[in-house]
Amino acid sequence: MLEFFMSKYNYWFYALMLALGLYGATVKGNLLKKLVALNVFQWSIIFFFLSIGATRGGTVPIWPEHGSGHWEPRVFVNPLPHVLMLTAIVVGVATTGIALALLLQIYRNWGSLEEDEILSSMRSQGG
Amino acid sequence: MVEQLPALVVATPLLFSFLIFLVGLFEERTSYPLFFTCLTLNLAFCLALFFKVMKGGTISYHLGGWQPPWGIEYRVDALNGLVLACIGVVSWFLGLCLNHVVKEEFAPERRSQLYTLLSLQICGLCGIVVTGDLFNLYVLLEIASFSAYAIVAMGKKGAEFSAFRYLVFGTIGACFYLLGVGHLYILTGSLNLEHVKELLQATPSSKALTVGFLFLMVGIGVKMALFPLHFWLPDAYSMAPSSVSIMLAPLSTKVASYVALRILFDLFFKTQHTEAVQVFLKFSGWVVSFGIFFSAFMAMAQKELRRTLSYFLISEICFLTAGIASFTRDGLRGAVLHLVNDMFMMGCLFASISLLGLLKKREDTEALDNLSDLGLFPGLSILFGMLSVIGVPPFCGFFSKWYLVLGALESKSWHMAIALLVGSLLNAVVVFKWLEKAFLKGTHHEKEGKRGKALGLWGFKVGLFGFCAFLVFLGLYTRVTIEVIDLWIGF
Amino acid sequence: MTEGLLVIELMLPLAAAFLVLLTGGRKLPCDLLPLPFAFLSPVLGLGLVSKLKAGEEIKTELIRVLPDLGLSFNLDALGAVFLLLTSSLWAVISLYSLGYMRSLQEHALRRFYCCFSLAIFGAFGVAMAQNLLTLFVFYEILTVSTFPLVAHEESEEALRAGRKYLVYLLSGATVGLFGLLWLKQKGGTLDFSVGGNIAGKIDPRMWGILFLLLAFGFGTKAAVMPFHEWLPSAMIAPTPVSALLHAVAVVKAGVFSCIRVILCVFGPKTLGSFGSDSVFAFAVAFTVIGANLLALSEDHLKRRLAFSTVNNLAVIILGAMLPTESGIKGAMIHIPFHGLMKITLFMCAGAIFVKTKKEYVNELSGLGKRMPITFGAFAVASLGLTGIPPICGFWSKWYLCSGALEAKNVAFLLVFLASSFLDAAYFLPIVYKAFFEGPGSQKVDEAPWTLTLPLIITALTCLLLGLFPDFLFGFLQFAEKASSAALMGG
């Protein structure tokens, strides 16, 4: 049983992160906390991908130079997930950027970042 | 040039978005003409691509010359050719309608920003449809979504809150999709749709595969506003500026539905991993049957026109999914047909409501009074659109319902058949409430022969007329659409 | 060439509707616009029908909408009867409504005439439909286009009547659609073949439920009880609407669709085994008597006529369910004969309203002396409906009763006879009171000629058809052809 946990401890950690992030994004009332939780959620997935690429005893995925020394087959860490995750990180950053801009505007308009306060102001103002 | 079409469809709006932004810094008045040029070019490319596929079969385009699966492949077959053509046509007609509304709703400085983001949106949508690479799809999905979040936030006070909610929901969805892609990558080692399809044939069924599939479907479900993951939609589309909801509503959820179809059928069903699919479809069959009733009742309770339309949109997505869930040939035909038809129906309705808002300065049900005083539009387009939604022949909505119910009957899913038929009747309650208000009230005051002037607005009129014509012709020539769909379905 | 004529005949009302929509009210008065179309229509209709009599087949597929099914039209004996009725009465009613609407200075004429023409378009389509898809498409067009006509007055009561109308008819159509799609999915064909085509294709265990779905689905438009309530409520509509649509086009489309289902989808042979015992037959028989009883107690004239219509429609359906030649023939000719008689009655009611603003039966005493022509026509038509020769209604009652006798169906025979007695009970007193009661000699003061001329025409036609059932239209001939084809085929 312990074996089952310990052999895949990294995936268990990511699952925990994912659950926490999801919980925070949905349940928390403060919009900024939601955003932070969303980030945690996104990062858990990024870590998950990175773990896919990792290889036991693998080395940096760069070809040895031509001509110098004899070339021997090596085990490389899979570079593809890293590449994909570069893109995903950028996407995450862009999401956070937009979200922060939105939060600024929300704060300007409603004077609060608490969801229930905003909703009640909206109800009383908008009708 | 012709060989580059798949890339052009994505590159053109992307380039134009930069162009509109840069030129718009100096001369604001150029932003709409530039945007409309972008839409026209895109229409030409989409249609050219569609006809090329119809003549010559599936097109495979390697981005940058890199062979798949190392490079990104853009792959166009009958299904996405059809969807692409519809996006091109619908967005072009919507573009005709945009100018007047944008002038009304946005200050001059903002207009170029809006058009920039709309171009990005079109780029993202076309890209999602055209791409054959799973990760590329994620990127383009996020491009489309970002622009959507931003332009939704440009609306009235309170829009930014709805946009934030939309952002949170949407990002969760996209990340679930990414997680699903990760699972597929672990199991097959490839990201290219065709290649994954081949590899999945050899992969044994496992929990990981089922979980990956579920993550994919939940993620796409959020994006396509599939009940019960639809909560972001009514707020986002009703708080957004009118012009924005015109462009977003007909297209974005349908593109996500297309992705769902691809994943469900091309990836999973055709590779014999049917157990996970079957369970999911049975479950979703029950959920959407309930969703149809739910959205019908919610639609009845709304006072704002666009919120009612949003709930109609949600129920149309449920209809579509019911067709998928029936898992039969007729059901699938109905689902894709409904995807196509609904783009036009929702485009027609949202554009009509936008025109109405422009003319009457209000967007609740009171705005519908004395619609005939405003001339032929938006009255005629609201009439056509609404009758199409509830499935009155000879409009297109009737024929997609025809196939959907046939599919449900064939798979003996009585709950879905009943939901489809009764749901339309419930929607009819709202539709006729609108129509009654629009055409049957207060005409006592109308002097025979005098028609109220709708100020110019030729763009709107041409656009709405186009939609009305399409609603009728798509209905009467359903056979043509079905023949294209059959090319994809194959069995 | 004949196909072209068919398409033109079909498109005439659509063209009229477009014309009214686009130009009516601005330069041209919209009540005059449909007139040329309306008068051309029976002429074309008779031309088509003469080709049919000569033995030609008149069919065309207009648009192939689905890969396996299209909008197909086929004018056969059954359809000819309905088509002739609707097209000739369209001409009559167009003249009548001109006078009626103008006298009352009605509003929203453009909407009225546009929807009216669209409704006729729907009726034509139903008459000539060759498969259930085409029938359904035009059936729905009929429902949607008549809604603004029912609610024309725009008062609270009219709007409520309109909503009730929609609820009943759309629900019925949905049930019918369900049956239709189920039939298709089970492997049946949606084409009509006189004599039925379901026998070889569908499992007999499904016949019962499919029949109920289709019959009740289309039966709501035929006002079969308990789904009849929309018809009396719809009497709030202007009289031309009540006259043409609710005595002739809409309800007859419903009856016609039921008959198509009974004769051309199921067929008398297949139906014979379970039709007369089915829930549907029971509901229809109940409707015959029930509607007449309700008519007796109803004081509002148009509502009384509405209940009479419900009764007569049910009589038609019952006749069609009798697997005998006379029964089907009687049902077939009752369609046009009842249509003519009922439209006369409605036009009289409208003329009375225009002239005197009276709507209730108890107010009509003595009016016969003031409006002798109107009440004369009323008398002719109501005698006909009761089944008294030499008015056309006699023939339909005769054939229906013979049909019941031939089929040895005593229950149906009793229903037909009881129906006639009740008819007499609520029609004849009106005529009597109008002529023989109330204040003595009055000045003759009829409604305008545009109102009285049409009703004279229809009343005279009733009389002529009573003497020569095949006069001009050849209704009896077609009814015979249709019934023998139905019994032979399948």
Side-chain angles (χ1 to χ4, degrees):
Chain A
M1 182 67 175
L2 197 62
E3 171 70 35
F4 180 56
F5 276 103
M6 290 311 288
S7 65
K8 299 196 193 333
Y9 65 91
N10 54 342
Y11 292 107
W12 285 107
F13 182 64
Y14 308 145
L16 189 64
M17 263 180 92
L18 193 142
L20 278 176
L22 207 49
Y23 167 79
T26 42
V27 171
K28 284 293 174 192
N30 185 306
L31 296 183
L32 197 53
K33 284 190 188 167
K34 272 196 207 287
L35 181 59
V36 172
L38 195 65
N39 266 291
V40 170
F41 174 70
Q42 284 181 298
W43 279 87
S44 74
I45 296 177
I46 290 175
F47 283 137
F48 172 73
F49 264 82
L50 294 179
S51 280
I52 295 174
T55 319
R56 204 179 289 275
T59 181
V60 179
I62 299 178
W63 283 119
E65 296 155 297
H66 299 294
S68 76
H70 65 273
W71 184 89
E72 43 183 83
R74 299 187 200 198
V75 180
F76 294 113
V77 169
N78 189 349
L80 184 60
H82 292 260
V83 167
L84 298 179
M85 287 308 104
L86 279 175
T87 315
I89 293 171
V90 171
V91 168
V93 168
T95 311
T96 311
I98 300 182
L100 285 172
L102 287 176
L103 283 179
L104 267 176
Q105 185 68 358
I106 292 177
Y107 191 71
R108 262 188 230 129
N109 277 343
W110 306 100
S112 159
L113 281 183
E114 293 292 330
E115 194 175 8
D116 38 13
E117 281 177 29
I118 299 174
L119 280 174
S120 57
S121 329
M122 281 176 87
R123 249 181 287 262
S124 57
Q125 273 190 40
Chain B
M1 169 89 152
V2 180
E3 298 80 47
Q4 312 298 329
L5 272 177
L8 276 176
V9 159
V10 181
T12 317
L14 189 59
L15 288 172
F16 265 90
S17 71
F18 285 112
L19 194 60
I20 294 175
F21 182 68
L22 289 173
V23 177
L25 285 174
F26 302 107
E27 182 57 65
E28 174 278 320
R29 277 177 305 183
T30 58
S31 43
Y32 177 71
L34 278 176
F35 180 64
F36 192 67
T37 319
C38 167
L39 284 179
T40 315
L41 280 176
N42 215 33
L43 171 67
F45 294 151
C46 291
L47 287 179
L49 202 49
F50 175 63
F51 287 119
K52 196 156 172 252
V53 172
M54 284 296 110
K55 255 205 300 215
T58 313
I59 295 179
S60 168
Y61 175 85
H62 306 154
L63 214 53
W66 287 91
Q67 286 273 13
W70 295 280
I72 294 178
E73 180 193 11
Y74 279 3
R75 201 182 171 84
V76 187
D77 62 4
L79 179 64
N80 49 1
L82 179 63
V83 177
L84 202 59
C86 293
I87 294 180
V89 174
V90 172
S91 58
W92 190 78
F93 277 112
L94 291 174
L96 279 173
C97 305
L98 268 184
N99 195 19
H100 305 281
V101 196
V102 170
K103 281 221 187 87
E104 179 73 23
E105 289 185 324
F106 285 87
E109 324 69 74
R110 291 264 185 227
R111 288 180 207 158
S112 58
Q113 296 169 357
L114 173 72
Y115 286 122
T116 308
L117 291 169
L118 280 177
S119 300
L120 275 178
Q121 166 86 357
I122 298 287
C123 162
L125 289 176
C126 290
I128 295 173
V129 176
V130 135
T131 188
D133 183 282
L134 287 168
F135 191 76
N136 194 234
L137 205 152
Y138 168 71
V139 173
L140 290 160
L141 191 63
E142 289 292 74
I143 293 180
S145 304
F146 288 163
S147 25
Y149 306 147
I151 49 183
V152 165
M154 285 166 115
K156 45 189 163 188
K157 195 159 172 234
E160 66 287 326
F161 183 69
S162 311
F164 185 79
R165 265 216 186 131
Y166 181 15
L167 187 150
V168 172
F169 248 104
T171 310
I172 294 179
C175 289
F176 270 125
Y177 171 79
L178 188 60
L179 200 52
V181 170
H183 279 83
L184 280 182
Y185 181 65
I186 297 180
L187 289 167
T188 60
S190 172
L191 288 169
N192 180 297
L193 258 166
E194 275 302 299
H195 197 212
V196 169
K197 201 158 75 164
E198 276 172 41
L199 293 168
L200 275 180
Q201 308 242 18
T203 315
S205 291
S206 60
K207 273 210 206 98
L209 192 59
T210 313
V211 168
F213 171 70
L214 283 174
F215 276 133
L216 280 171
M217 292 318 295
V218 169
I220 292 299
V222 172
K223 287 296 184 186
M224 75 190 234
L226 181 60
F227 182 86
L229 302 166
H230 66 280
F231 290 105
W232 57 268
L233 199 148
D235 286 322
Y237 287 175
S238 55
M239 299 292 242
S242 193
S243 40
V244 166
S245 58
I246 294 182
M247 287 302 271
L248 284 181
L251 300 174
S252 51
T253 42
K254 303 301 173 314
V255 168
S257 315
Y258 152 78
V259 177
L261 275 169
R262 268 278 182 244
I263 295 175
L264 261 172
F265 284 98
D266 278 344
L267 274 191
F268 283 88
F269 177 63
K270 286 191 177 163
T271 60
Q272 273 91 48
H273 286 284
T274 46
E275 321 77 45
V277 179
Q278 297 269 27
V279 171
F280 174 76
L281 289 180
K282 275 247 161 12
F283 174 70
S284 59
W286 281 97
V287 169
V288 293
S289 303
F290 184 68
I292 293 177
F293 284 111
F294 172 81
S295 37
F297 285 121
M298 289 300 281
M300 283 193 232
Q302 302 305 322
K303 292 217 175 36
E304 261 188 63
L305 299 176
R306 269 195 281 155
R307 280 189 84 92
T308 317
L309 285 183
S310 305
Y311 280 105
F312 274 0
L313 183 59
I314 295 173
S315 69
E316 299 300 332
I317 300 285
C318 289
F319 273 41
L320 202 157
T321 318
I324 302 178
S326 69
F327 217 55
T328 60
R329 182 158 174 237
D330 279 330
L332 258 190
R333 279 163 150 183
V336 182
L337 187 62
H338 204 61
L339 201 156
V340 167
N341 288 344
D342 203 44
M343 275 201 241
F344 286 92
M345 292 199 282
M346 286 298 145
C348 182
L349 283 171
F350 271 92
S352 313
I353 296 302
S354 186
L355 178 59
L356 190 63
L358 197 63
L359 292 174
K360 292 243 175 133
K361 306 277 181 283
R362 58 191 303 182
E363 287 206 0
D364 53 359
T365 36
E366 297 302 317
L368 286 171
D369 282 340
N370 295 348
L371 210 54
S372 27
D373 283 345
L374 295 173
L376 210 52
F377 295 108
L380 192 68
S381 49
I382 290 184
L383 179 68
F384 276 30
M386 283 311 222
L387 287 181
S388 191
V389 164
I390 55 175
V392 171
F395 301 109
C396 50
F398 173 69
F399 296 102
S400 43
K401 201 166 71 164
W402 176 278
Y403 279 105
L404 289 171
V405 176
L406 274 181
L409 287 174
E410 198 177 322
S411 65
K412 304 227 189 307
S413 322
W414 303 116
H415 54 285
M416 289 204 296
I418 295 190
L420 286 167
L421 290 170
V422 177
S424 308
L425 275 181
L426 289 174
N427 283 338
V429 172
V430 180
V431 166
F432 280 105
K433 200 163 73 173
W434 278 33
L435 293 180
E436 207 184 87
K437 244 187 160 9
F439 298 109
L440 284 177
K441 291 266 179 76
T443 45
H444 284 283
H445 311 299
E446 179 206 341
K447 269 209 289 275
E448 285 294 354
K450 176 174 82 92
R451 210 99 67 237
K453 277 299 164 222
L455 7 133
L457 295 175
W458 65 268
F460 253 116
K461 296 197 174 155
V462 175
L464 288 178
F465 177 74
F467 276 120
C468 290
F470 264 101
L471 286 178
V472 175
F473 283 111
L474 276 178
L476 292 177
Y477 289 99
T478 304
R479 170 179 51 102
V480 176
T481 326
I482 293 285
E483 278 170 13
V484 176
I485 298 173
D486 279 345
L487 284 176
W488 169 65
I489 296 183
F491 57 91
Chain C
M1 182 54 206
T2 334
E3 283 81 41
L5 268 183
L6 186 73
V7 176
I8 295 178
E9 173 78 351
L10 179 66
M11 292 299 172
L12 273 180
L14 187 62
F18 262 119
L19 208 57
V20 171
L21 182 67
L22 294 176
T23 68
R26 237 194 290 199
K27 299 199 192 84
L28 302 161
C30 37
D31 41 9
L32 291 179
L33 278 174
L35 278 178
F37 297 94
F39 284 118
L40 183 56
S41 165
V43 174
L44 267 184
L46 282 170
L48 276 171
V49 151
S50 62
K51 294 221 174 164
L52 189 66
K53 277 192 215 175
E56 250 183 78
E57 245 199 3
I58 313 178
K59 51 160 48 170
T60 177
E61 184 178 86
L62 203 55
I63 302 176
R64 177 144 270 244
V65 180
L66 301 175
D68 51 346
L69 208 57
L71 286 180
S72 309
F73 301 98
N74 176 19
L75 191 62
D76 59 359
L78 220 86
V81 171
F82 187 35
L83 180 68
L84 283 174
L85 176 71
T86 322
S87 58
S88 40
L89 289 181
W90 183 28
V92 168
I93 271 286
S94 294
L95 185 60
Y96 182 82
S97 59
L98 182 70
Y100 185 88
M101 302 300 267
R102 283 204 180 170
S103 308
L104 292 178
Q105 290 174 326
E106 283 274 6
H107 62 285
L109 287 183
R110 189 163 70 117
R111 180 183 78 204
F112 182 82
Y113 282 102
C114 179
C115 292
F116 206 91
S117 310
L118 278 176
I120 301 290
F121 177 58
F124 279 14
V126 167
M128 300 198 262
Q130 203 250 333
N131 55 42
L132 275 169
L133 171 67
T134 319
L135 185 80
F136 192 80
V137 169
F138 284 95
Y139 192 87
E140 287 280 72
I141 292 179
L142 198 51
T143 308
V144 173
S145 55
T146 43
F147 166 63
L149 293 174
V150 170
H152 180 88
E153 200 184 88
E154 293 170 22
S155 62
E156 257 316 298
E157 201 190 331
L159 288 174
R160 250 182 290 135
R163 282 178 217 143
K164 201 191 290 194
Y165 181 75
L166 278 178
V167 167
Y168 274 96
L169 291 190
L170 285 179
S171 313
T174 305
V175 171
L177 182 64
F178 184 53
L180 194 158
L181 287 173
W182 202 1
L183 174 64
K184 177 161 207 299
Q185 192 269 315
K186 280 291 177 190
T189 173
L190 291 183
D191 286 338
F192 292 134
S193 6
V194 186
N197 53 34
I198 204 172
K201 298 213 166 84
I202 307 261
D203 188 355
R205 283 171 298 170
M206 299 278 323
W207 290 352
I209 180 95
L210 276 176
F211 179 67
L212 278 180
L213 284 173
L214 284 168
F216 270 115
F218 292 125
T220 32
K221 205 173 245 188
V224 170
M225 283 185 174
F227 308 115
H228 68 284
E229 177 57 28
W230 62 270
L231 189 56
S233 306
M235 290 301 118
I236 192 94
T239 305
V241 176
S242 312
L244 183 63
L245 297 179
H246 301 293
V248 177
V250 171
V251 292
K252 287 288 159 43
V255 167
F256 185 76
S257 312
C258 281
I259 295 190
R260 278 282 192 212
V261 168
I262 292 172
L263 292 182
C264 301
V265 174
F266 282 85
K269 293 212 188 97
T270 321
L271 212 55
S273 50
F274 69 96
S276 316
D277 302 323
S278 67
V279 177
F280 185 66
F282 180 72
V284 176
F286 181 79
T287 309
V288 175
I289 303 298
N292 264 356
L293 288 173
L294 283 170
L296 260 180
S297 62
E298 178 66 54
D299 198 36
H300 188 266
L301 180 59
K302 274 171 57 175
R303 283 176 65 97
R304 183 179 285 202
L305 294 179
F307 281 116
S308 162
T309 305
V310 175
N311 156 278
N312 279 284
L313 296 172
V315 161
I316 295 174
I317 300 179
L318 266 190
M321 286 175 75
L322 286 168
T324 61
E325 177 148 351
S326 302
I328 300 178
K329 194 157 66 169
M332 291 307 307
I333 49 167
H334 202 51
I335 294 180
F337 289 175
H338 166 257
L340 278 165
M341 294 186 282
K342 198 39 79 55
I343 209 176
T344 314
L345 290 174
F346 270 108
M347 287 198 280
C348 295
I352 296 170
F353 181 70
V354 164
K355 208 58 214 174
T356 68
K357 295 283 178 288
K358 293 198 203 289
E359 300 181 299
Y360 288 88
V361 172
N362 58 39
E363 299 171 328
L364 298 179
S365 308
L367 277 183
K369 299 166 200 162
R370 192 170 144 197
M371 305 173 75
I373 301 183
T374 309
F375 275 93
F378 193 96
V380 168
S382 34
L383 285 175
L385 275 176
T386 317
I388 296 176
I391 307 172
C392 53
F394 165 71
W395 287 109
S396 36
K397 286 276 158 74
W398 174 266
Y399 281 117
L400 284 167
C401 292
S402 324
L405 275 173
E406 269 175 45
K408 305 210 202 323
N409 195 327
V410 182
F412 279 26
L413 179 64
L414 287 176
V415 164
F416 290 143
L417 291 174
S419 158
S420 292
F421 277 126
L422 289 169
D423 281 333
Y426 63 74
F427 273 134
L428 299 183
I430 305 181
V431 179
Y432 181 81
K433 275 207 227 155
F435 280 114
F436 300 115
E437 276 187 22
S441 57
Q442 295 178 48
K443 204 162 69 84
V444 170
D445 185 20
E446 291 277 1
W449 70 271
T450 41
L451 291 166
T452 35
L453 181 61
L455 54 93
I456 295 176
I457 294 176
T458 48
L460 277 178
T461 316
C462 292
L463 193 53
L464 274 171
L465 284 173
L467 295 169
F468 311 105
D470 260 326
F471 169 69
L472 189 63
F473 303 105
F475 282 133
L476 192 59
Q477 218 180 64
F478 283 122
E480 261 173 31
K481 235 202 252 185
S483 58
S484 46
L487 286 169
M488 273 200 306

